Amino acid sequence: MATTWTDRLAELGIELPSVVPPVASYTPAVRTGNLVYTSGQLPVVDGELSARGKVHEGAEGVVRPDEATAAARVCALNALAAIDALVGIDAIVRVVKVVGFVASAPGFTGQPAVINGASDVLGEIFGDAGVHARSAVGVAELPLGAPVEVELIVEVA
């Protein structure tokens, strides 16, 4: 049984990525009191978006919902990397809230299922401490053409 979140990540074979550098005037994460807020994290892997475009089912030239769900998972891991760099992953007491934005093609209403990619990985890592409040919002556009963006609020010791 894992004794720290670092141990749990190792058990799951999850390696946190490097912190994604800001693309504008902000910082990846800020602590106030016992809360850490992350800036919106995009699905950046090795300096590049893992997917690009709007999300919709069955349409040509769009990001499929399963691809967007995988991208939401990447966003959550990028947010955890920002938290880890600020206070250390083992300082997390619980995940408080997830806010997810999905660049949605007209008629797409599956935003909650897409953001499950973030929620599910947080549950895998943190168990009961990963159960959180959440918003999943469809938007017209996201920075750099990303299909999804995720913010976290966590309580820390």
Side-chain angles (χ1 to χ4, degrees):
M1 183 75 181
T3 56
T4 66
W5 300 131
T6 300
D7 294 338
R8 181 66 182 145
L9 288 168
E11 280 181 8
L12 293 169
I14 296 173
E15 191 172 320
L16 291 181
S18 298
V19 177
V20 176
V23 297
S25 299
Y26 61 88
T27 188
V30 172
R31 179 179 182 166
T32 182
N34 66 340
L35 296 176
V36 173
Y37 293 77
T38 70
S39 295
Q41 298 294 311
L42 302 178
V44 174
V45 176
D46 297 327
E48 299 291 328
L49 286 175
S50 64
R52 194 180 297 268
K54 295 188 183 208
V55 181
H56 203 292
E57 296 178 45
E60 186 104 6
V62 298
V63 177
R64 294 188 326 264
D66 62 317
E67 294 171 320
T69 300
R73 178 184 175 98
V74 170
C75 292
L77 294 175
N78 286 342
L80 290 177
I83 295 165
D84 187 45
L86 183 67
V87 298
I89 195 83
D90 293 324
I92 295 175
V93 173
R94 73 163 298 124
V95 179
V96 176
K97 184 156 187 187
V98 173
V99 180
F101 303 95
V102 180
S104 302
F108 181 72
T109 60
Q111 293 85 5
V114 167
I115 301 304
N116 280 348
S119 294
D120 292 349
V121 74
L122 295 169
E124 291 170 30
I125 296 166
F126 298 106
D128 289 343
V131 176
H132 52 269
R134 188 178 90 176
S135 299
V137 181
V139 298
E141 298 288 342
L142 286 170
L144 308 177
V148 64
E149 180 174 346
V150 171
E151 301 174 2
L152 297 183
I153 302 169
V154 299
E155 179 184 359
V156 295

